[in-house]
Each structure stands twice: as structure tokens, then as C-alpha cells.
Amino acid sequence: MFEPRPEDRFTFGLWTVGNVGRDPFGEPVRGTLTPAQIVQLLAAEGAWGVNLHDNDLVPITATLAERDQIVREFKQVLVDTGMVVPMATTNLFSDPAFRDGAFTANDPAIRAYALQKTMRAMDLGVELGAQVYVFWGGREGVDTDVAKNPVESLKRYREAINFLTHYATDQGYNLRFALEPKPNEPRGDIYLSTVGAMLAFIQTLDKPEMVGVNPEMAHEHMSGLNFLHAVAQAWDAGKLFHIDLNDQAGGRYDQDFRFGAHNPKAAFFLVQFLESVGYTGSRHFDAHAYRTADMEDVRAFARGCMRTYLILKEKARQFTQDAEIQSLLSEIHADDGTMAQFQGTYSPDKASALKAAQFDRVALGQRGQPYERLDQLVIELLLGVR
Ligand code: GLT
Ligand code: MN
Ligand code: MN
């Protein structure tokens, strides 16, 4: 039980299990794995696919010939392991050229270079079979607002995404873009910091239908927001193109913990949501092992992400079968239909009928809701005593 299968659509980035444990205060603690070794590790642990930045696979210094050979060899590893590459993205944050951002950098040559690098990385992703292209603007922001005009930055950002959607269409690529918000780190403030902000921005693009979001649990929790609500809004808008699963204690450094490691209750409601609405995209774990982990522990980390997801999926199934929980839910959601005459689509008649209706406000205010009982049942379910 709780063994991952391909239909679970579990993916990891090359950069996740490949993370060497460098942090702002310390040097790497683990050796570098080759992309082939990472794919083999993930395949052995039961993942379905692997995602990558251009430079996770092809060094930024590689010649075209080197690039082609690396890609050829990598494709063979995918064939040998049966792994797929459903998502690809661009590294627009590691190289010193991107210290002031990429699409929003003040230097026009950096903005142009960022576009060129992204087009090439899109070609690479498509060649490997990716259908989702992620944009995480880690450096698209400021450390001081004296540096950039925020409206001008949005214009530059929009122009870049528009350019790239047109490029994808021109090439005949079957690609959807997924924009990934984050509030801060590595910049003091990153533009388009939340899922809500991203969703509004998408509507201003040339091809909004091609562009959705890639919400990350840790990123919304860094802002103190409710991830489930962000994901639900993206789903409602038809924009949940991808999702990054991990964990994070609000108000701490960027932790990228194993899925469910910090707040299993929030993880439960998220899994319950994804499974109940019928989300069919990747379940991508964008996390890394603790810096204390050795390679065996890194494997345990990868297994843990997938196992926790599957355990929570089973808990979600139990939730729907639990008679006590279901009876409390039907009590809460009871509706005798008498209010239907006033609700739903507006009509002038409905509006006048509603204005004339009598409500017993005091009685309405006296009715409690059994959310303490219900929530405790969920806790007991999660703690394994139901
Ligand atoms: C980076 C970042 C993630 C993004 C990845 C895609 S890379 O590790 O922290 O949130 O999803 O660029
Ligand atoms: Mn993150
Ligand atoms: Mn992410």
C-alpha cells in the first residue's frame, strides 16, 4: 500500500533530489549527481516523471554540439527508465547576468538575452516532451524600490511573456505556460507575489488562454496565505496548469520541506481538493531533503513526499466514507429550498420579493455550527484513531 504508480503523476525537478545542500551560510554537504543518476534514483523510487531547467541538464557554457550530445544521452536514459519530462523551465536566476532580474532587468541587453535563453530552453523542453512551461521569476523584483518603476516592470514582464507565447505558437509547440508566484527570496520583493496577483496579470496578456499558474504551497505560506484557497481560485479560473508541492512554516526562511512535513492538515485539505475536483496534471514535488541528509536519506525524502500524498489521498477517501463526518456535513449543508425564490440569477421580480421578505435576524444569529466536532473528527482521522 502507498506505493507510487505512474498514474499518480508524481514528478520531481532534477534540482530537488539533486540539491547538494548549499545554503546562504554553508557549503554543499552532498556530492553532485548527474542528471542520469537523478533520473535513475527517481525511477527506482517510483516517480512518473522529472522536470528540469535548461541548465540542470545543459551547462550554460555548453556548445551547440555538446548540448546535442547531452540531450541525446539524456533521452536514452528516459527511454531506459520509462520516465517522462512533462514540464520544463528556464534558469533565469543563477547566473550573475540575472542579478537584477531577467525580463524586468533594467539593462535592455539582459532582457533580450533572457528572451533568447528562454526560447532555446523552450526548444529543449519541447524536444524532451514537455507540455507545460514554467516561469518562476525569482529575480524579477527589487531589493529597493528606487531601482525600478513597478508599472514599467509589469509592462516589461507582459511584453516578455507575450513575445514567448507568440514564439511558441509560431513554432507550433503544444505548450501551456504556468507562471509561478513567490513573495520574496532571492529578491527582497518579487513582482506578482501571489497566485491572485498572477491570475489578474494573466488576463492582461495577448494570449491569456495559453497561460495559467503554477502555485507552490511554500510560496503562499511564506505570505501567510491559505494555499488551498489560492489553488481553488486557480482551478475555478481554469488556470491550474501545474502545482508545486512542498511545505513551509510561515515566516521562516525559504524551507522547501518534504510535502506534509510541517502542516499535514493543510496538505490533507489540498490533496482532498485535487483528488475531488479531478485535477489531472502533474503532482510535482518542488522540495529538497534536509541539509543533514545523506544519499539514503535523500531517497527517503523522495519516497516520503509521494507516500504522504498517497496516505492523505486514502484519508480523503475515508473522509467520504465516515458516517459521522458525513452526517455532520449533511446537517451543515442542509437546505430546505425555501430561499431559492430569492437567489441565483438576478431578476427585478426576485429583487423586489427579496426586499419585501421578512427575516428573523435574532433567530438567524442564534444557530451555531458544529465545526469543532467536525474538525476534531478530521484531526482524529488524520491521527489514525478513526
Ligand atoms: C527554484 C524555485 C522553485 C521553482 C523552480 C522553477 S526553481 O528552486 O525555488 O520554486 O519552482 O524555476
Ligand atoms: Mn520554493
Ligand atoms: Mn516551485
Side-chain angles (χ1 to χ4, degrees):
M1 220 180 167
F2 309 128
E3 287 299 315
R5 296 156 311 160
E7 52 271 36
D8 295 318
R9 299 195 160 242
F10 291 139
T11 63
F12 290 80
L14 281 181
W15 66 92
T16 61
V17 286
N19 182 286
V20 292
R22 180 188 290 111
D23 73 15
F25 303 93
E27 301 301 333
V29 292
R30 292 182 287 269
T32 307
L33 298 176
T34 64
Q37 286 171 323
I38 296 171
V39 173
Q40 280 147 5
L41 182 158
L42 288 172
E45 299 306 338
W48 168 63
V50 63
N51 302 317
L52 47 89
H53 298 89
D54 48 355
N55 304 135
D56 296 339
L57 180 62
V58 181
I60 198 164
T61 49
T63 63
L64 267 183
E66 285 164 350
R67 177 237 185 243
D68 287 348
Q69 189 188 340
I70 291 169
V71 173
R72 214 174 316 118
E73 287 169 12
F74 189 69
K75 279 181 173 167
Q76 191 55 49
V77 179
L78 295 174
V79 171
D80 294 345
T81 53
M83 294 274 279
V84 294
V85 177
M87 176 272 260
T89 182
T90 329
N91 186 326
L92 295 174
F93 44 88
S94 294
D95 194 85
F98 301 120
R99 65 208 286 179
D100 188 32
F103 304 145
T104 65
N106 273 325
D107 184 339
I110 293 174
R111 298 203 298 276
Y113 172 58
L115 276 183
Q116 180 202 62
K117 190 172 193 289
T118 305
M119 287 190 291
R120 291 182 176 169
M122 285 165 64
D123 299 344
L124 171 69
V126 169
E127 187 176 346
L128 294 170
Q131 298 190 348
V132 175
Y133 202 84
V134 162
F135 291 82
W136 173 64
R139 302 263 178 211
E140 309 294 9
V142 293
D143 309 303
T144 161
D145 278 320
V146 77
K148 296 178 186 174
N149 174 328
V151 173
E152 187 56 31
S153 294
L154 284 177
K155 265 196 207 151
R156 291 173 177 170
Y157 217 145
R158 180 179 305 115
E159 213 176 83
I161 301 292
N162 283 341
F163 190 99
L164 294 164
T165 50
H166 289 294
Y167 173 72
T169 310
D170 255 6
Q171 299 298 304
Y173 289 164
N174 177 26
L175 264 192
R176 298 200 297 173
F177 290 7
L179 311 186
E180 177 179 346
K182 189 179 185 187
N184 53 267
E185 250 188 283
R187 290 316 283 272
D189 290 282
I190 301 175
Y191 294 128
L192 299 167
S193 53
T194 63
V195 171
M198 230 24 133
L199 287 171
F201 176 70
I202 288 169
Q203 294 312 317
T204 71
L205 298 173
D206 283 356
K207 293 174 176 278
E209 68 288 350
M210 257 185 78
V211 187
V213 288
N214 178 33
E216 174 170 316
M217 190 150 193
H219 296 177
E220 299 299 294
H221 286 183
M222 284 172 80
S223 306
L225 298 174
N226 183 314
F227 187 58
L228 173 68
H229 296 187
V231 169
Q233 193 184 353
W235 176 260
D236 179 67
K239 294 294 185 193
L240 189 63
F241 290 4
H242 200 263
I243 193 163
D244 279 6
L245 304 173
N246 55 9
D247 216 345
Q248 167 81 35
R252 300 285 169 91
Y253 65 97
D254 180 3
Q255 296 176 310
D256 281 338
F257 281 162
R258 188 181 74 256
F259 182 55
H262 177 72
N263 190 343
K265 188 179 178 189
F268 166 72
F269 286 119
L270 178 71
V271 171
Q272 183 188 46
F273 179 84
L274 294 176
E275 295 300 322
S276 68
V277 298
Y279 169 76
T280 55
S282 297
R283 274 75 171 163
H284 172 70
F285 298 106
D286 187 7
H288 51 74
Y290 301 136
R291 191 162 180 268
T292 42
D294 56 16
M295 275 325 292
E296 195 190 327
D297 217 33
V298 169
R299 285 179 179 273
F301 149 82
R303 277 197 303 280
C305 286
M306 297 186 280
R307 208 174 142 75
T308 296
Y309 189 101
L310 292 173
I311 294 168
L312 294 174
K313 184 174 167 182
E314 169 58 16
K315 294 286 177 192
R317 194 195 60 79
Q318 286 174 20
F319 182 95
T320 62
Q321 312 276 298
D322 188 303
E324 206 177 337
I325 289 177
Q326 291 307 316
S327 115
L328 274 176
L329 280 176
S330 40
E331 192 183 305
I332 288 163
H333 297 145
D335 183 347
D336 65 7
T338 52
M339 291 296 130
Q341 57 180 320
F342 303 129
Q343 293 167 327
T345 314
Y346 174 85
S347 76
D349 287 350
K350 239 186 227 176
S352 350
L354 180 52
K355 276 178 104 174
Q358 298 284 332
F359 289 96
D360 185 347
R361 179 184 50 79
V362 175
L364 289 176
Q366 275 165 359
R367 187 177 163 219
Q369 291 283 15
Y371 298 156
E372 286 289 356
R373 273 173 284 158
L374 188 56
D375 189 75
Q376 181 64 22
L377 289 174
V378 171
I379 292 293
E380 294 190 9
L381 183 82
L382 294 181
L383 293 180
V385 297
R386 286 190 74 74

